[in-house]
Amino acid sequence: MLLPRAGGAAGRASPPLAALSQVLRLERSRRTSIVFPLQKLERYLAPGTDTAPFRLFQPGLAALQRAEALFRSDRGHPIDYVSSAVRMDHAPPPALPEVCFIGRSNVGKSSLIRALFSLAPEVEVRVSKTPGHTKKMNFFKVGKYFTLVDMPGYGYRAPQDFVQMVEAYLQERHNLKRTFLLVDGVVGLQKTDHIAVEMLEEFGIPYVMVLTKIDRASRGLLLKNVLEIQEFVKENTQGCFPQLFLVSSVEFSGVHLLRCFVAHVTGNLPTVEAS
Ligand code: GDP
């Protein structure tokens, strides 16, 4: 059984608010904005706005804690970078449930994956890089529970072999449980994001949108982007989960909830009781 323990692995300190125990010490309003950043926006909606998409996935503390334990490495529960692959036949065997993270270069994908794995500081996730440079899929194994794949960032001028690699992965990876499409919370959906959405829709793959860098957007701008994207999801998509996930890798907001959703979609959290 996995039990939460204090502090980071390997004696290294984890960042402030990386652990729920740290968040729980905050006063109530700040705690809500860290754990449920989307819910925090709800009170600023015009009366009569449909709030259902704001609260579809709303786990209680016990579920959040169980999910956090999965992301905390331990001698009996290693979290490791496994390998990188440029082609599907180089990918590790599809033995465990899997999630993948995709998004434009610079959307904040490495930072988010690093934040998710911050309680396993021995896991190395490269953060800064030349845009458009790395074109590899990076596989991380979370104990015997699931794998997480960092897909190469896409952008304009994506080479054809890169597009083929991502398409092949999305179409062929039978253990893929959910794709996390990262969208910049400051600038909202861009042309390349629409291309990614079209691809996911065409393949009929379940996915969820994650709005990044929310600490950089004013409340008004964030609300505008959230409402626009929610409307887009409702009107134009079949496979996208209607609730958006808002994250800041700097402030750690939304990271605990995202860990919980990953645990849930990979079948590692059978019951998600409401908070
Ligand atoms: P990637 O190319 O998608 O992997 O993006 P990175 O994780 O390398 O982030 C791109 C830039 O955005 C870097 O300068 C990061 O420091 C910055 N960044 C990433 N996430 C956040 C965030 O949540 N808040 C803020 N303020 N900056 C972020």
Side-chain angles (χ1 to χ4, degrees):
M1 194 173 106
L2 290 162
L3 288 172
R5 65 186 165 80
R12 272 198 269 169
S14 40
L17 306 186
L20 274 167
S21 56
Q22 295 162 305
V23 179
L24 292 177
R25 282 184 220 127
L26 302 172
E27 53 91 14
R28 192 191 166 93
S29 155
R30 177 114 173 85
R31 204 164 63 207
T32 309
S33 68
I34 297 289
V35 181
F36 298 111
L38 182 65
Q39 219 182 85
K40 190 77 189 174
L41 285 178
E42 240 189 89
R43 72 176 68 161
Y44 302 101
L45 295 171
T49 311
D50 177 17
T51 55
F54 283 73
R55 291 169 173 264
L56 292 172
F57 182 73
Q58 200 183 359
L61 183 59
L64 289 161
Q65 282 170 329
R66 271 204 304 276
E68 178 169 296
L70 285 175
F71 281 88
R72 192 185 288 281
S73 60
D74 209 308
R75 200 166 296 161
H77 175 59
I79 301 178
D80 293 318
Y81 160 78
V82 179
S83 62
S84 297
V86 288
R87 298 203 324 250
M88 278 308 285
D89 51 351
H90 294 169
L96 296 174
E98 191 159 282
V99 290
C100 80
F101 284 66
I102 64 170
R104 288 189 300 123
S105 302
N106 231 30
V107 74
K109 183 160 54 63
S110 319
S111 303
L112 177 59
I113 295 175
R114 226 162 67 141
L116 289 169
F117 284 145
S118 55
L119 300 172
E122 69 279 14
V123 176
E124 297 244 345
V125 182
R126 280 188 30 200
V127 166
S128 61
K129 57 204 165 278
T130 320
H133 191 66
T134 352
K135 296 296 175 205
K136 287 181 180 162
M137 308 181 267
N138 300 312
F139 291 80
F140 298 90
K141 191 168 174 220
V142 178
K144 51 184 191 296
Y145 298 96
F146 63 91
T147 39
L148 185 151
V149 190
D150 178 10
M151 297 296 278
Y154 53 78
Y156 78 112
R157 286 191 355 208
Q160 197 52 33
D161 55 349
F162 159 74
V163 174
Q164 279 166 3
M165 172 176 76
V166 175
E167 286 190 354
Y169 171 84
L170 294 173
Q171 280 183 303
E172 293 171 25
R173 198 71 174 167
H174 298 304
N175 57 330
L176 179 62
K177 299 296 177 198
R178 200 68 58 117
T179 296
F180 292 78
L181 172 60
L182 273 52
V183 174
D184 192 314
V186 181
V187 297
L189 281 174
Q190 302 290 294
K191 198 172 167 189
T192 38
D193 300 322
H194 284 286
I195 295 171
V197 167
E198 278 166 28
M199 183 173 69
L200 292 162
E201 288 290 322
E202 186 190 325
F203 298 162
I205 293 173
Y207 62 103
V208 51
M209 281 199 215
V210 179
L211 264 61
T212 61
K213 306 184 191 178
I214 61 164
D215 59 287
R216 283 182 44 195
S218 67
R219 189 192 298 134
L221 177 62
L222 193 58
L223 200 54
K224 173 180 165 287
N225 286 340
V226 164
L227 292 175
E228 274 177 17
I229 298 174
Q230 265 181 359
E231 184 64 15
F232 171 83
V233 167
K234 188 174 164 200
E235 295 301 323
N236 301 283
T237 69
Q238 300 284 327
C240 187
F241 189 62
Q243 179 175 328
L244 304 179
F245 284 80
L246 271 49
V247 295
S248 161
S249 306
V250 172
E251 295 183 343
F252 263 85
S253 33
V255 172
H256 310 86
L257 186 63
L258 199 60
R259 283 182 184 141
C260 197
F261 194 65
V262 169
H264 173 60
V265 296
T266 53
N268 288 300
L269 212 59
T271 50
V272 180
E273 68 280 21
S275 66

